[in-house]
Amino acid sequence: MKWFLDLTMRGKLFAGFGLMIAFLAAVIASAYLGIAAIQASQKSLYQEDFANALDLLDLRSNQNGVRAALLSMMSVTKRSDQEIWHQDVKERSKEIAETTQRLLERNRSDPRLSGRLEDLKAVREAFAQTRDTQIIPLIYAGKTEGAKELALGIQDERYRKLRAIAQELGKAAVEKARASVAESELKARQTVRVFVITGITATLLAVVMTLFL
């Protein structure tokens, strides 16, 4: 520190305040980077991970609702009652299609997830085609046994596949959300650690500078 002692008072003040300004800039930079990283993590968490988990839960709920509505259509004999349940099937099917499309658009950048969503979409479309072109016309025609045979045969197999894929993707979305929360907490702790270290260093430097001055 001899070079510092040999400086003029003006030079010492410039050097001291220069160092303090440098430390202040470091604190500001670390704060900005830390907060930006946390915000990015939270954005991914809420706009992707949680959104996927909720959409997949909604998808499973509506798929269960469609299955229940079809079974209800088979259990009633009045045309008006059948039409009420058919309307429920239509509304839920529309929501399923919209949710599936939303999931595909949101996860287009993830090849594995988008691939499984395409599988889900393909099975759902086959399920919907058999339902709309075969099962429901049979129900309206009074051929309940034929409708039940299809519903408990190929359609049941497709339903189980839909449920398995949705459960798999839902579990993966929840795990990813938990990982994002843990990552956000880690970044927050790292940012606080940088603040503390930089603050202590700046304080010690200020004391040393004061003593030398």
Coordinates of all heavy atoms in Angstrom, one line a residue, residues 5 9 11 32 34 36 51 54 104 119 121 125 127 138 147 154 161 167 170 173 185 191 206 211:
L5 N 0.0 5.4 -0.1 CA 0.5 6.5 0.9 C 1.2 7.6 0.2 O 1.2 8.7 0.7 CB 1.4 5.8 2.0 CG 0.6 4.8 2.9 CD1 1.7 4.1 3.8 CD2 -0.4 5.5 3.7
M9 N -3.3 13.9 -1.4 CA -4.6 13.7 -0.8 C -5.7 13.6 -1.8 O -6.7 12.8 -1.7 CB -4.9 14.9 0.2 CG -6.3 14.8 0.8 SD -6.5 13.3 1.8 CE -5.4 13.6 3.1
G11 N -5.4 12.4 -4.9 CA -5.2 11.1 -5.5 C -5.8 10.0 -4.6 O -6.5 9.1 -5.1
Y32 N -28.9 -7.0 -10.5 CA -29.6 -7.1 -11.8 C -29.6 -8.5 -12.4 O -30.7 -9.0 -12.7 CB -29.0 -6.1 -12.8 CG -29.6 -6.2 -14.1 CD1 -30.9 -5.6 -14.4 CD2 -29.0 -6.9 -15.2 CE1 -31.5 -5.7 -15.7 CE2 -29.6 -7.0 -16.4 CZ -30.8 -6.4 -16.7 OH -31.4 -6.5 -17.9
G34 N -29.0 -11.3 -10.8 CA -29.7 -12.3 -10.0 C -31.2 -12.2 -10.1 O -31.9 -13.2 -10.2
A36 N -32.8 -10.8 -12.6 CA -33.2 -11.2 -14.0 C -33.3 -12.8 -14.1 O -34.2 -13.3 -14.7 CB -32.2 -10.7 -15.0
A51 N -48.6 -24.2 -16.1 CA -49.7 -24.2 -17.2 C -49.8 -25.6 -17.8 O -51.0 -26.0 -18.0 CB -49.3 -23.2 -18.2
L54 N -51.7 -27.9 -15.2 CA -53.1 -27.6 -15.1 C -53.9 -28.0 -16.4 O -55.0 -28.5 -16.3 CB -53.3 -26.1 -14.9 CG -52.8 -25.5 -13.5 CD1 -52.9 -24.0 -13.5 CD2 -53.7 -26.1 -12.4
L104 N -49.7 -28.2 -27.4 CA -48.7 -28.4 -28.5 C -48.0 -27.1 -28.9 O -46.8 -27.1 -29.1 CB -49.5 -28.9 -29.7 CG -49.9 -30.4 -29.7 CD1 -50.9 -30.7 -30.8 CD2 -48.6 -31.3 -29.9
D119 N -48.8 -38.0 -30.0 CA -49.3 -39.4 -29.8 C -50.7 -39.3 -29.1 O -51.6 -40.0 -29.5 CB -48.4 -40.2 -28.9 CG -47.0 -40.5 -29.6 OD1 -47.0 -40.4 -30.8 OD2 -46.1 -40.8 -28.8
K121 N -52.7 -36.8 -29.2 CA -53.7 -36.2 -30.1 C -54.2 -37.2 -31.1 O -55.4 -37.3 -31.4 CB -53.0 -35.0 -30.9 CG -53.9 -34.3 -31.9 CD -53.2 -33.2 -32.6 CE -54.1 -32.5 -33.6 NZ -53.4 -31.4 -34.3
E125 N -58.0 -38.4 -31.5 CA -58.8 -38.2 -32.8 C -59.4 -39.6 -33.2 O -60.6 -39.6 -33.7 CB -57.9 -37.7 -33.8 CG -57.5 -36.2 -33.6 CD -56.5 -35.7 -34.6 OE1 -55.9 -36.6 -35.4 OE2 -56.3 -34.5 -34.7
F127 N -60.3 -41.9 -31.1 CA -61.3 -42.1 -30.2 C -62.6 -41.3 -30.5 O -63.7 -41.8 -30.5 CB -60.8 -41.7 -28.8 CG -61.8 -41.9 -27.7 CD1 -61.8 -43.1 -26.9 CD2 -62.7 -40.9 -27.3 CE1 -62.7 -43.3 -25.8 CE2 -63.6 -41.1 -26.3 CZ -63.6 -42.3 -25.5
L138 N -75.3 -45.4 -33.2 CA -75.9 -46.6 -32.7 C -76.8 -46.3 -31.5 O -77.9 -46.9 -31.4 CB -74.8 -47.6 -32.3 CG -74.1 -48.3 -33.4 CD1 -72.9 -49.1 -32.9 CD2 -75.0 -49.2 -34.2
A147 N -73.4 -50.4 -29.3 CA -72.7 -49.2 -28.8 C -71.8 -49.6 -27.6 O -70.6 -49.2 -27.5 CB -73.6 -48.1 -28.5
I154 N -62.6 -51.5 -28.3 CA -61.5 -50.7 -28.8 C -61.5 -49.3 -28.1 O -60.4 -48.8 -27.9 CB -61.6 -50.5 -30.3 CG1 -60.4 -49.8 -30.9 CG2 -62.9 -49.8 -30.7 CD1 -59.1 -50.5 -30.7
K161 N -55.2 -45.8 -22.9 CA -54.0 -45.2 -23.5 C -53.9 -43.7 -23.3 O -52.9 -43.2 -23.0 CB -53.9 -45.6 -25.0 CG -52.5 -45.3 -25.6 CD -52.4 -45.9 -27.0 CE -51.0 -45.6 -27.5 NZ -50.8 -46.2 -28.9
Q167 N -51.4 -39.0 -17.8 CA -50.8 -39.2 -16.4 C -49.3 -39.0 -16.5 O -48.7 -38.4 -15.6 CB -51.2 -40.5 -15.8 CG -52.6 -40.6 -15.4 CD -53.0 -42.0 -14.8 OE1 -52.4 -43.0 -15.2 NE2 -54.1 -42.0 -14.0
G170 N -48.5 -35.4 -17.1 CA -48.8 -34.6 -15.9 C -47.8 -34.8 -14.8 O -47.4 -33.8 -14.2
A173 N -44.7 -32.9 -15.8 CA -44.9 -31.5 -15.7 C -44.8 -31.0 -14.2 O -44.2 -30.0 -13.9 CB -46.2 -31.0 -16.2
E185 N -35.1 -21.0 -6.0 CA -34.6 -20.8 -4.7 C -33.1 -20.8 -4.6 O -32.5 -20.0 -3.8 CB -35.2 -21.9 -3.8 CG -36.7 -21.8 -3.6 CD -37.2 -23.0 -2.8 OE1 -36.5 -23.9 -2.6 OE2 -38.4 -22.9 -2.3
T191 N -27.8 -15.1 -5.0 CA -27.8 -13.7 -5.2 C -27.6 -13.0 -3.8 O -26.8 -12.1 -3.7 CB -29.1 -13.2 -5.8 OG1 -29.3 -13.8 -7.0 CG2 -29.2 -11.7 -5.9
A206 N -13.8 0.2 3.0 CA -14.0 1.6 3.5 C -13.3 1.8 4.8 O -12.7 2.9 5.0 CB -15.5 1.8 3.6
L211 N -8.7 4.5 7.5 CA -7.5 4.4 8.4 C -6.3 5.0 7.7 O -5.5 5.7 8.2 CB -7.2 3.0 8.8 CG -8.3 2.4 9.8 CD1 -8.0 0.9 10.1 CD2 -8.3 3.2 11.1

